[in-house]
Amino acid sequence: MASSGLSEELNCSICLNIYTNPVMLNCGHNFCELCISILWIRQKVSGIYSCPECRAEFKTRPVLQKNLNLCNTVERYRSTQENPADTKIFCTYCASSLVPAIKTCLRCEASFCELHLKNHSKSTNHTLIEPSNTPEDRKCPVHNELLKYFCVQDSSLMCTSCTMNWKHKDHETELLNEASEKEKMRLKEFIPELSSKMDEAEKKFWSLEKNRNSFQQESVGLKKRVTSLFGDIRTALNALENIVLSEITKQEICISTCYSEYIQKLDERIQDMYCKKHHIEEVCKITDPLIFLKQDAIKTDFEQESPFYAKCFNMQLITVTLMSALNKLSEVILERKKKYEFNLEDSTDLILNVNTANHYIALSDDLKKATDTNQDKSRPHHPERFITQQVLCTKKITSGIHYWEIQTSDYGDWRVGVTYNNVKRKGDNSLIGANPESWFLKWFEEQLTADEDDESFDVNSSVPSPDIGIYLDYDYGVLSFYELSDSVKHLYTFLSDFHRPLYAGFYLNEAWIKIAK
């Protein structure tokens, strides 16, 4: 029981095993050297080291001090836990009692006490070693001779006969003691290199740990900004919705009141006519002419009924109220985006430039949709007009972050992207994406590629999505395309140094595109 209690006292609280190279902290608690070192590597990122037992904190990493007394206690405890019958070697020739051996002969494969060792052969062929239960491990399994040498080339142990074998001919051999000392020296020389690599790995570890924590904090902050953004928009949206609903409710009450008043008057008129009808019917039942004629004269004429003009909702007022609310919502969204540092222009004002449109490209009235047709639109000559089936937008982009969405046809060929305005208007080099003045995503022969300076790069998408999002950071030279389906998927990113104004542009061959509003 005492041994069991001592075992618990000698257990490391980190690994829960008997101490290995125990070290003591300033607070007095002990741990395995390796256990506490690994723990403090993990704590290094916080800059504060703490004892796992009492939580005492150290602003600098304490120097580990080896607890010599505890080391000795651990060693003594471990020695007491071993089975004496298994660890002690007894004299082979003391049959009557177990007498500890002091030497073991490798040749005789027997152990001797001090008395029997005196009678043992003094021949050099009889090699004496410290007491051992397995002397055969020190002999060559082939020649049954003592292993004395080490082959450097083969890294194998050899006896004297092995050195004569042709397999080890011309091999460098060393005595076991010499080989052992050299190997120890080599390993000790490797320790500084290993320590240096450990330091490098530890620095990299903490750098990555720091970056990971930084990204996690950035993620928390980003989520908070997005949540706040949508929360503010939701609050403003509810308030603006209530304004529109309030106007509808006000008109509803006014119209309903008019109906109620007229219905009440009409109900009173009906009741009056019903009473008059009943009175006439009763009077007409009188059979005596004298009595009948003595009845008060009954008016048979009716007052002119006032006309009812049915009222309806003032849709013009409601529409103006709604549009005013939506405009205010746009202002709120823009304001909140700036407040929460999402400085992105959604380019809702993006429209097509009629002066750049090819004669065979039809434009919608709102200048948001372009369609390649077989009909010549007979547009007047203009120096910016393309001879090829292309069209640019009017908006000039010279700085900032921009985003817009387009819809594409699921047939024909098309290109979408941005270009400088000085791109040629005719000839092969006028095709956007086929010159160094433009950057485009191309759908051609049912394959999606990214085109830049007449080079094509495969895009990880098998079919075009009906909706494509385009992200442009002019200042940092980033142009990215995204597939907008159930989830947003990145398609391709161009990296360039934009130095002139950019314009959104499109190429259409039996296809159409539409700019999202």
Side-chain angles (χ1 to χ4, degrees):
M1 294 298 290
S3 176
S4 175
L6 181 60
S7 173
E8 294 178 1
E9 291 293 328
L10 298 179
N11 280 347
C12 172
S13 61
I14 298 178
C15 65
L16 304 179
N17 292 321
I18 300 297
Y19 289 117
T20 302
N21 295 329
V23 293
M24 183 173 63
L25 307 186
N26 295 339
C27 58
H29 292 108
N30 299 286
F31 305 94
C32 297
E33 182 179 13
L34 182 60
C35 293
I36 194 65
S37 297
I38 293 175
L39 177 64
W40 279 353
I41 287 176
R42 296 173 181 171
Q43 292 180 346
K44 184 176 180 180
V45 69
S46 65
I48 298 178
Y49 303 93
S50 62
C51 170
E53 286 282 348
C54 63
R55 303 300 178 188
E57 294 185 351
F58 311 96
K59 292 185 178 179
T60 58
R61 180 169 175 171
V63 178
L64 297 177
Q65 299 177 353
K66 192 170 185 179
N67 192 332
L68 296 177
N69 291 333
L70 185 57
C71 284
N72 295 332
T73 303
V74 169
E75 290 302 321
R76 286 196 301 270
Y77 172 76
R78 283 179 171 162
S79 65
T80 60
Q81 298 307 300
E82 297 174 350
N83 188 344
D86 294 335
T87 58
K88 288 189 176 181
I89 310 301
F90 299 100
C91 178
T92 306
Y93 298 98
C94 291
S96 59
S97 61
L98 296 178
V99 179
I102 59 173
K103 292 293 180 180
T104 297
C105 178
L106 294 179
R107 182 177 181 82
C108 301
E109 295 186 359
S111 298
F112 304 92
C113 65
E114 186 175 2
L115 177 62
H116 287 100
L117 184 62
K118 294 178 180 179
N119 300 324
H120 182 259
S121 174
K122 301 299 188 291
S123 170
T124 56
N125 293 332
H126 292 261
T127 303
L128 297 175
I129 62 172
E130 294 302 314
S132 172
N133 275 331
T134 57
E136 64 275 5
D137 291 344
R138 292 178 172 269
K139 288 186 176 182
C140 175
V142 178
H143 305 106
N144 199 31
E145 295 180 13
L146 183 64
L147 295 170
K148 294 183 178 181
Y149 303 98
F150 178 77
C151 178
V152 177
Q153 281 81 352
D154 296 338
S155 297
S156 61
L157 299 172
M158 302 184 301
C159 64
T160 304
S161 297
C162 290
T163 59
M164 308 300 178
N165 194 306
W166 64 270
K167 292 182 180 180
H168 299 283
K169 185 179 180 181
D170 298 329
H171 285 190
E172 181 182 356
T173 59
E174 298 175 343
L175 292 173
L176 293 185
N177 289 341
E178 295 176 357
S180 176
E181 290 301 320
K182 285 185 178 181
E183 181 64 14
K184 286 181 181 179
M185 187 67 69
R186 186 186 70 83
L187 292 177
K188 288 180 180 179
E189 291 175 352
F190 177 66
I191 289 177
E193 180 183 352
L194 183 61
S195 298
S196 175
K197 291 185 178 297
M198 285 174 59
D199 291 340
E200 291 178 6
E202 188 174 332
K203 289 179 181 178
K204 186 175 182 180
F205 173 87
W206 288 118
S207 175
L208 293 174
E209 183 74 15
K210 182 179 179 180
N211 290 340
R212 183 180 69 175
N213 293 337
S214 176
F215 284 131
Q216 288 175 343
Q217 292 175 2
E218 184 179 356
S219 174
V220 171
L222 188 58
K223 288 178 181 178
K224 185 177 180 179
R225 286 164 53 201
V226 171
T227 301
S228 299
L229 170 66
F230 279 98
D232 287 1
I233 293 175
R234 197 175 294 111
T235 300
L237 180 62
N238 291 337
L240 294 172
E241 179 186 10
N242 289 334
I243 292 175
V244 180
L245 293 177
S246 177
E247 176 60 34
I248 297 174
T249 301
K250 184 171 70 175
Q251 292 192 29
E252 177 192 5
I253 292 173
C254 181
I255 296 172
S256 179
T257 300
C258 292
Y259 272 99
S260 297
E261 290 176 353
Y262 190 81
I263 289 173
Q264 183 178 357
K265 290 179 180 180
L266 190 59
D267 182 60
E268 292 174 355
R269 182 178 176 80
I270 292 172
Q271 291 297 328
D272 183 60
M273 288 190 294
Y274 178 81
C275 292
K276 183 176 288 189
K277 176 187 174 187
H278 179 71
H279 179 63
I280 291 174
E281 288 175 346
E282 292 299 320
V283 171
C284 289
K285 290 180 181 178
I286 300 174
T287 57
D288 188 336
L290 179 63
I291 296 175
F292 174 76
L293 293 175
K294 283 183 177 182
Q295 299 296 317
D296 293 334
I298 300 175
K299 294 182 179 181
T300 56
D301 57 330
F302 295 94
E303 295 181 3
Q304 185 66 30
E305 182 180 348
S306 59
F308 175 74
Y309 299 101
K311 292 187 176 182
C312 58
F313 284 106
N314 185 344
M315 290 305 301
Q316 181 176 339
L317 179 57
I318 293 174
T319 302
V320 171
T321 305
L322 175 64
M323 294 307 297
S324 175
L326 292 177
N327 288 337
K328 289 178 180 177
L329 180 62
S330 299
E331 293 175 1
V332 168
I333 293 175
L334 183 60
E335 178 186 341
R336 296 303 188 274
K337 283 197 302 183
K338 291 181 179 178
K339 176 181 177 181
Y340 296 108
E341 300 179 356
F342 291 103
N343 300 318
L344 182 70
E345 295 187 32
D346 56 12
S347 299
T348 54
D349 58 342
L350 209 62
I351 59 173
L352 299 167
N353 187 346
V354 179
N355 294 331
T356 64
N358 173 262
H359 287 292
Y360 291 92
I361 290 182
L363 304 179
S364 61
D365 294 337
D366 60 359
L367 298 179
K368 290 285 187 178
K369 184 177 181 180
T371 307
D372 181 32
T373 67
N374 294 324
Q375 298 178 355
D376 189 345
K377 300 303 176 182
S378 302
R379 296 189 177 98
H381 171 75
H382 196 281
E384 293 188 357
R385 193 174 310 286
F386 284 99
I387 301 302
T388 50
Q389 303 107 296
Q390 298 182 144
V391 60
L392 303 183
C393 289
T394 59
K395 185 171 183 176
K396 178 170 65 174
I397 300 175
T398 58
S399 63
I401 302 175
H402 302 260
Y403 175 79
W404 63 94
E405 297 179 1
I406 62 167
Q407 295 178 335
T408 61
S409 61
D410 56 359
Y411 55 85
D413 306 324
W414 45 258
R415 300 184 187 191
V416 296
V418 296
T419 181
Y420 294 140
N421 195 38
N422 64 341
V423 66
K424 293 184 178 180
R425 265 37 185 184
K426 61 181 179 179
D428 293 338
N429 288 335
S430 67
L431 282 177
I432 50 182
N435 53 66
E437 310 292 326
S438 55
W439 299 262
F440 278 79
L441 199 67
K442 179 175 72 175
W443 176 253
F444 178 69
E445 294 183 349
E446 298 186 353
Q447 185 174 1
L448 197 61
T449 58
D451 279 24
E452 178 182 14
D453 195 12
D454 208 20
E455 278 193 80
S456 292
F457 306 92
D458 291 336
V459 174
N460 186 23
S461 183
S462 56
V463 294
S465 168
D467 300 306
I468 294 178
I470 302 176
Y471 174 95
L472 170 63
D473 188 336
Y474 184 95
D475 300 323
Y476 282 90
V478 177
L479 175 66
S480 297
F481 295 87
Y482 293 87
E483 180 181 305
L484 307 178
S485 51
D486 294 336
S487 61
V488 178
K489 175 186 175 183
H490 175 256
L491 295 175
Y492 194 82
T493 292
F494 290 105
L495 299 176
S496 185
D497 182 17
F498 302 129
H499 53 274
R500 289 198 295 273
L502 289 173
Y503 295 82
F506 312 94
Y507 166 84
L508 304 170
N509 181 19
E510 298 182 355
W512 60 263
I513 63 93
K514 183 178 180 181
I515 303 171
K517 297 182 180 180

